[in-house]
Amino acid sequence: MPQKSTYTAKDIQVLEGLEPVRRRPGMFIGSTDARGFHHLLTEIVDNSVDEALAGQATEIWVVIHKDGSVTVEDNGRGIPVEKHKSGVSALELIMTKLHAGGKFDEGAYKVSGGLHGVGASVVNALSDWLEVEVFRDGASFKQTYKAGVPQGPVKKTGASNKTGTKTTFFPSKETFSEQVWNPKTIEDSIRNRAYLIAGLTFNLTYESAGITKTFYFEGGIKSLVAHLNKDKKAITDVIYFSKENGDIAEEVALQYNDGISENVESFVNVIKTVDGGTHLTGFRMGLTRSIIDYARKSGVAKEVVDQLSGEDTREGLTAAIFVKIPTNKIQFESQTKAKLNNPEVQGFVAQAVKEQLDIYFEENPNDARRIIEKITLAAKARLAARAAKDAVLRKGALEGSSLPGKLADCQEKDAQNSELFIVEGVSAGGSAKQGRDRKFQAVLPLGGKILNTERAHLDKIVKFEVLKDLIIALGAGIGETLNPEKLRYHRVIIMTDADVDGEHIATLLLTFFYRHIPQLIERGYLYLAMPPLYKVQIGKDIYYAYSDNEKNDIVKKYGNGKVTIQRYKGLGEMNPEQLRETTMDPAHRTLKQINIEDAAEVDRIFSMLMGEEVSQRKKFIQSRAKMATLDI
Ligand code: 0RA
């Protein structure tokens, strides 16, 4: 960790005033919606987190006040208050000048300032009012601001024997279109930071509810990996190691479970690098080399040892990689800071992981053996899947047509304008084929059960008729050769009965797409059809209702004559015209778009729900689905 630096006010570099921030807030805070609003809080919290990263603070308090203001306090050294040569205090410079940083930045690992953060002054400029209290040198000091403008000099307010910094602010009403603090957003970001800095305690208080939540993880990223695996069956301990060399430090925690997916999170100075980068690549290189070396030496995986791939070593792997680099040396690939680009980090992490994992395997042969056995299985499944897939493709070619016989394809060839309805049951499939608009709507009826694909390897999946048909109809391939650019439909619509069986089938399909063609979901191509629940006939008029409420409203509004209500138990009860009119025709239908925002959470929920509990899955699907009425 960095050394304590000696610091004086003259080290602060003065840049410019705050007018540009108020004029163009989006440029500084990203946006002025809920995201930008929460960014204000993260910014202030990260200043305190930096103090903790520097080893100078151990506790951070966050209070959401009833009036919408927030307080962030830490027990660090306190922002310096002595006067700069211009006669202004260091505190005032930090709070009122853009990018006022100090020389102490160099050699320190920081989250805020420069690359990630925009500085407390930006938050100050975008706050109707802000108040800072500093506790240091045996006293307390205070300065208040309105829209970033000091309302007087820094004042000594009394004696104090504690140290730290306490900031309270009220976001600008004029600037932010959203003014509501979202507990989940706040807690997710605090939890991440608490995981990464072992031993740092966060206390989060909601004043209106009178609740305080504490976030403290003694084990740092070791606790994070255990948390990510908590609904899975682990097959090894959490393996942890760390190394420092000059000014780069790395920490790695990993654990294998008996599933097949990979869940690796990577961080640079508390910034989550969603797109990975050189630290992640280094980790993968070190891991693959160490495992393959061990497999060779131990002789456990003789048959496939020469064909083991990096991909095989990552099945069932949960890990966290955390590197700390001085702020002024970090390189990101883009403005969004999602991908680390420092070349020197790759070799450093690769070598450290290889060395330390080699030692771990020597000392823990049981864990090593379980990992090698698992990886051998992964390699065999991958090789078998390749062979099976090749066979499937050859078969298609021999039959003269590569599309499945059950598929009623559309005439349209442009994927952007093509829709595929995946329909439960052969009879509903028949109605859908008659009711569709064959110009742009294709129908694939599913006969029979669908394999639960959460744990299934590809070799099993491609042998399973229903899924094989689906994969071929979609046209993008699967596994190693998956190419989402080749998808033949940009709207894939799951149409099942509105009953428990239908929900179950929809969930299995969703699981399949999530696990094996996630691009379909990420690109927004996957939808659920919403067939009506009731047909209400009043005299000669027919109305369709999609919920009980809607049905009651219709009866109340039009129900003077004779009312007949039919509850649809399945798609099969509708004739082709009704199915078209209510569920397939873009002019009348409602589709729910499946939207995965947080893949890690979804991964966890899928594992949790893979038992028999259907109603929980149903809730999950419904909570993840976003209403989208499409008209084309
Ligand atoms: C500049 C210099 C020093 C500490 C800080 C800033 C500091 C800033 C914040 C923001 C929130 N909490 C903070 N805690 C400390 C070092 C001063 C010294 O050497 O004593």
Side-chain angles (χ1 to χ4, degrees):
M1 293 301 270
Q3 60 295 338
K4 185 165 179 159
S5 35
T6 42
Y7 164 89
T8 51
K10 71 175 172 359
D11 292 333
I12 300 264
Q13 305 148 19
V14 180
L15 288 171
E16 40 174 328
L18 293 177
E19 313 82 52
V21 182
R22 290 189 62 81
R23 239 183 294 125
R24 311 193 57 186
M27 291 253 305
F28 295 87
I29 202 88
S31 65
T32 54
D33 55 9
R35 224 185 133 120
F37 182 73
H38 286 87
H39 197 157
L40 296 178
L41 176 56
T42 319
E43 190 57 43
I44 297 298
V45 167
D46 279 348
N47 287 329
S48 296
V49 167
D50 286 342
E51 192 66 357
L53 262 178
Q56 303 289 347
T58 57
E59 198 147 356
I60 297 173
W61 295 264
V62 177
V63 182
I64 313 295
H65 296 289
K66 282 183 189 155
D67 67 355
S69 62
V70 248
T71 297
V72 178
E73 180 170 3
D74 66 59
N75 63 350
R77 291 165 293 184
I79 300 179
V81 287
E82 64 268 34
K83 287 213 167 114
H84 188 256
K85 60 175 180 290
S86 61
V88 175
S89 83
L91 172 63
E92 181 170 331
L93 284 179
I94 287 177
M95 296 311 300
T96 59
K97 299 286 178 263
L98 262 187
H99 302 185
K103 292 220 174 115
F104 52 83
D105 273 11
E106 276 164 40
Y109 310 129
K110 284 169 76 72
V111 207
S112 62
L115 277 157
H116 180 60
V118 283
S121 61
V122 167
V123 179
N124 196 12
L126 300 178
S127 293
D128 283 345
W129 56 265
L130 184 146
E131 187 181 294
V132 193
E133 282 179 271
V134 168
F135 307 93
R136 58 184 280 148
D137 308 327
S140 61
F141 306 85
K142 185 166 166 175
Q143 188 168 40
T144 57
Y145 316 80
K146 282 188 177 156
V149 180
Q151 303 297 295
V154 176
K155 284 211 186 80
K156 193 176 201 169
T157 46
S160 174
N161 55 8
K162 69 175 186 180
T163 64
T165 304
K166 180 176 176 180
T167 307
T168 304
F169 65 97
F170 188 94
S172 158
K173 277 225 159 72
E174 198 185 310
T175 305
F176 294 95
S177 57
E178 293 268 344
Q179 298 268 343
V180 183
W181 297 112
N182 179 334
K184 183 172 170 356
T185 309
I186 296 172
E187 287 172 26
D188 283 352
S189 111
I190 285 182
R191 191 179 301 107
N192 252 343
R193 283 155 175 74
Y195 271 128
L196 293 181
I197 307 169
L200 171 63
T201 303
F202 274 97
N203 305 286
L204 170 63
T205 302
Y206 298 101
E207 207 178 57
S208 59
I211 294 172
T212 296
K213 294 188 178 181
T214 299
F215 298 83
Y216 168 81
F217 302 106
E218 197 173 354
I221 60 167
K222 236 196 292 189
S223 306
L224 173 60
V225 166
H227 170 76
L228 292 173
N229 258 347
K230 83 177 176 342
D231 297 312
K232 313 213 164 164
K233 191 162 175 282
I235 61 165
T236 66
D237 279 342
V238 179
I239 303 168
Y240 170 85
F241 35 77
S242 63
K243 186 171 180 175
E244 270 189 70
N245 186 4
D247 51 15
I248 309 181
E250 60 102 32
E251 280 185 61
V252 170
L254 65 115
Q255 184 179 42
Y256 280 86
N257 62 56
D258 72 347
I260 61 169
S261 53
E262 174 191 6
N263 188 4
V264 179
E265 302 198 340
S266 61
F267 303 86
V268 178
N269 297 9
V270 197
I271 301 169
K272 185 163 171 173
T273 35
V274 183
D275 295 332
T278 48
H279 51 338
L280 181 62
T281 309
F283 166 74
R284 288 177 164 178
M285 285 166 56
L287 179 83
T288 304
R289 280 187 203 150
S290 180
I291 289 179
I292 293 181
D293 275 8
Y294 190 86
R296 226 176 238 123
K297 261 193 298 190
S298 68
V300 178
K302 264 199 214 90
E303 326 91 279
V304 287
V305 77
D306 292 321
Q307 297 182 76
L308 286 176
S309 74
E311 190 192 333
D312 300 330
T313 65
R314 298 194 290 272
E315 274 204 18
L317 171 69
T318 299
I321 324 301
F322 178 23
V323 296
K324 285 175 268 185
I325 306 171
T327 314
N328 57 349
K329 292 197 180 155
I330 298 186
Q331 301 164 23
F332 285 109
E333 193 176 276
S334 66
Q335 271 311 100
T336 57
K337 282 131 213 169
K339 191 167 184 183
L340 182 69
N341 224 359
N342 291 55
E344 73 281 11
V345 171
Q346 186 165 314
F348 170 66
V349 176
Q351 202 184 351
V353 169
K354 167 84 170 82
E355 274 168 24
Q356 293 177 308
L357 211 49
D358 283 352
I359 296 171
Y360 183 87
F361 288 156
E362 289 304 328
E363 291 173 355
N364 300 273
N366 283 335
D367 272 3
R369 182 180 43 78
R370 280 194 287 267
I371 293 173
I372 303 294
E373 280 168 5
K374 176 165 183 80
I375 274 143
T376 312
L377 204 65
K380 284 181 183 163
R382 180 174 53 83
L383 296 169
R386 187 186 290 166
K389 194 172 59 202
D390 290 350
V392 168
L393 292 178
R394 266 197 309 279
K395 185 159 164 270
L398 282 176
E399 283 163 5
S401 148
S402 49
L403 290 174
K406 290 200 191 83
L407 174 74
D409 206 9
C410 55
Q411 294 158 348
E412 174 67 58
K413 291 289 169 246
D414 182 352
Q416 269 194 46
N417 304 320
S418 303
E419 303 187 340
L420 173 67
F421 282 85
I422 305 172
V423 187
E424 168 192 8
V426 177
S427 77
S431 291
K433 282 182 188 176
Q434 290 178 51
R436 71 183 173 138
D437 183 337
R438 65 176 59 240
K439 278 213 259 344
F440 68 99
Q441 296 183 316
V443 173
L444 180 68
L446 299 178
K449 280 236 178 317
I450 302 165
L451 178 74
N452 177 355
T453 49
E454 201 242 352
R455 274 161 207 286
H457 274 116
L458 276 177
D459 56 334
K460 271 213 207 105
I461 290 173
V462 295
K463 283 189 196 134
F464 205 77
E465 205 65 33
V466 171
L467 293 177
K468 195 175 82 186
D469 282 355
L470 181 55
I471 293 165
I472 296 175
L474 289 174
I478 197 84
E480 292 166 301
T481 55
L482 176 72
N483 179 0
E485 295 301 324
K486 286 171 124 180
L487 282 166
R488 300 178 59 248
Y489 312 93
H490 285 188
R491 269 192 291 281
V492 174
I493 302 159
I494 300 173
M495 187 158 77
T496 59
D497 289 341
D499 61 6
V500 174
D501 278 353
E503 300 282 2
H504 190 75
I505 290 171
T507 309
L508 288 173
L509 282 169
L510 196 52
T511 310
F512 168 71
F513 288 127
Y514 172 71
R515 289 283 165 176
H516 298 285
I517 318 183
Q519 295 85 348
L520 193 76
I521 306 178
E522 285 157 9
R523 295 179 181 210
Y525 296 168
L526 188 63
Y527 300 85
L528 291 181
M530 301 290 291
L533 289 179
Y534 297 100
K535 181 169 98 175
V536 184
Q537 183 150 12
I538 300 171
K540 277 199 217 109
D541 298 327
I542 293 176
Y543 303 88
Y544 297 100
Y546 295 83
S547 67
D548 286 320
N549 277 345
E550 211 178 326
K551 174 202 67 181
N552 297 337
D553 287 351
I554 290 167
V555 174
K556 220 185 280 164
K557 200 161 164 200
Y558 308 105
N560 295 324
K562 180 174 173 327
V563 179
T564 324
I565 296 174
Q566 182 191 354
R567 189 187 162 100
Y568 289 122
K569 287 192 209 73
L571 298 167
E573 289 180 26
M574 274 183 258
N575 63 36
E577 291 73 48
Q578 288 173 331
L579 192 60
R580 173 179 53 231
E581 206 181 310
T582 61
T583 315
M584 298 180 77
D585 179 358
H588 301 289
R589 73 186 178 194
T590 303
L591 298 179
K592 279 188 171 186
Q593 187 176 43
I594 303 297
N595 174 12
I596 298 186
E597 289 161 12
D598 188 343
E601 192 189 342
V602 174
D603 182 75
R604 196 178 66 73
I605 296 173
F606 266 116
S607 310
M608 183 177 80
L609 298 185
M610 273 313 138
E612 288 305 295
E613 218 341 0
V614 175
S615 68
Q616 274 215 60
R617 294 190 207 183
K618 186 171 149 186
K619 256 192 241 141
F620 163 75
I621 296 189
Q622 288 169 344
S623 70
R624 283 281 148 181
K626 181 178 87 189
M627 287 299 258
T629 312
L630 292 172
D631 38 358
I632 36 169

